Amino acid sequence: NFMLTQPHSVSESPGKTVTISCTRSSGSIASNYVQWYQQRPGSAPTTVIYEDNQRPSGVPDRFSGSIDSSSNSASLTISGLKTEDEADYYCQSYDSSNLEVFGGGTKLTVL
Amino acid sequence: QVQLQESGPGLVKPSETLSLTCTVSGGSISSYYWSWIRQPPGKGLEWIGYIYYSGSTNYNPSLKSRVTISVDTSKNQFSLKLSSVTAADTAVYYCARAQPLLWFGELMGVWFDPWGQGTLVTVSS
């Protein structure tokens, strides 16, 4: 089984761009789709990216996803940061042993 | 728009069985996968398992010996049972629809959307 490692926290100012990484410990990041979820304090998670780079309807195009095989990682990029983007973000992918794996989560502070 | 709502006891004694139900509204439970995910207080997300509306299941190996997920299509509900609970099972439990990820027709994982609001279950005597 593999692990997905995320930075514990990131911070950036309103209007700026921030990137959150999600590194796969073994196996290729490209071999299974990566999803990203936003969890605001006291709320359930919501999907912001699925299938590496697809946005569900209603998610603004300020949110984008990508994968980088050279670093074996996925990234969530949020541009034009707003205070409402302050939340925990989790990546998720599939292990071929029929296991859904979540990253440990990244706390985004918009200050 | 599909909505999910968890229900069940908020307090369970150690060694007993945790039982939760998720009611799906605004759409049919048929033709979809449905999942349970949990989050211990202050910690990250852990996938528990999912069930297809027909009844086939897939469980997290770390919990497999204690977990049963079932579905009742007549009530548009699916349920979670977790046996022999300990304090380590204290968490917010979420139900979610599991959207299939297919590669040439083969299931290669799922993503979760939408989610229920979650329900806190505390294991304590």
Side-chain angles (χ1 to χ4, degrees):
Chain A
N1 299 343
F2 64 85
M3 295 174 54
L4 296 172
T5 300
Q6 301 180 232
H8 182 69
S9 63
V10 296
S11 61
E12 190 51 90
S13 303
K16 300 291 189 180
T17 297
V18 69
T19 297
I20 299 171
S21 63
C22 171
T23 302
R24 179 166 167 159
S25 62
S26 62
S28 172
I29 191 71
S31 61
N32 300 99
Y33 287 122
V34 176
Q35 284 63 239
W36 290 92
Y37 303 92
Q38 176 192 68
Q39 186 178 32
R40 294 190 173 109
S43 296
T46 61
T47 311
V48 292
I49 294 289
Y50 68 99
E51 291 183 2
D52 295 341
N53 55 19
Q54 302 298 301
R55 283 187 309 277
S57 59
V59 174
D61 61 5
R62 301 186 297 105
F63 291 81
S64 62
S66 63
I67 61 169
D68 180 358
S69 294
S70 65
S71 60
N72 213 35
S73 64
S75 294
L76 172 69
T77 299
I78 310 171
S79 60
L81 274 170
K82 301 183 177 184
T83 54
E84 67 201 47
D85 298 330
E86 189 161 290
D88 293 328
Y89 290 85
Y90 294 90
C91 59
Q92 174 248 327
S93 190
Y94 173 71
D95 186 306
S96 55
S97 60
N98 286 332
L99 172 66
E100 301 296 339
V101 179
F102 284 97
T106 298
K107 181 178 179 61
L108 169 63
T109 301
V110 181
L111 37 65
Chain B
Q1 183 175 347
V2 172
Q3 294 184 313
L4 295 87
Q5 179 68 58
E6 305 87 352
S7 59
L11 180 64
V12 181
K13 290 182 168 54
S15 80
E16 295 189 345
T17 296
L18 178 159
S19 296
L20 295 174
T21 296
C22 182
T23 301
V24 179
S25 60
S28 174
I29 204 167
S30 297
S31 303
Y32 286 100
Y33 292 84
W34 304 93
S35 189
W36 289 96
I37 298 144
R38 69 180 183 179
Q39 184 173 35
K43 296 187 178 181
L45 301 166
E46 180 182 31
W47 172 69
I48 298 171
Y50 62 69
I51 187 167
Y52 193 44
Y53 80 101
S54 61
S56 61
T57 55
N58 185 27
Y59 299 138
N60 187 324
S62 69
L63 298 169
K64 189 173 184 177
S65 63
R66 299 193 291 130
V67 171
T68 302
I69 298 176
S70 58
V71 64
D72 186 338
T73 55
S74 67
K75 294 182 179 179
N76 235 32
Q77 294 176 335
F78 63 105
S79 298
L80 168 70
K81 290 189 185 299
L82 181 66
S83 64
S84 305
V85 298
T86 70
D89 295 309
T90 293
V92 174
Y93 285 77
Y94 295 100
C95 59
R97 186 171 63 184
Q99 309 270 26
L101 296 166
L102 301 176
W103 184 254
F104 291 101
E106 182 180 351
L107 183 66
M108 295 289 284
V110 297
W111 59 286
F112 306 103
D113 189 82
W115 298 56
Q117 66 183 30
T119 187
L120 174 63
V121 179
T122 301
V123 178
S124 175
S125 55

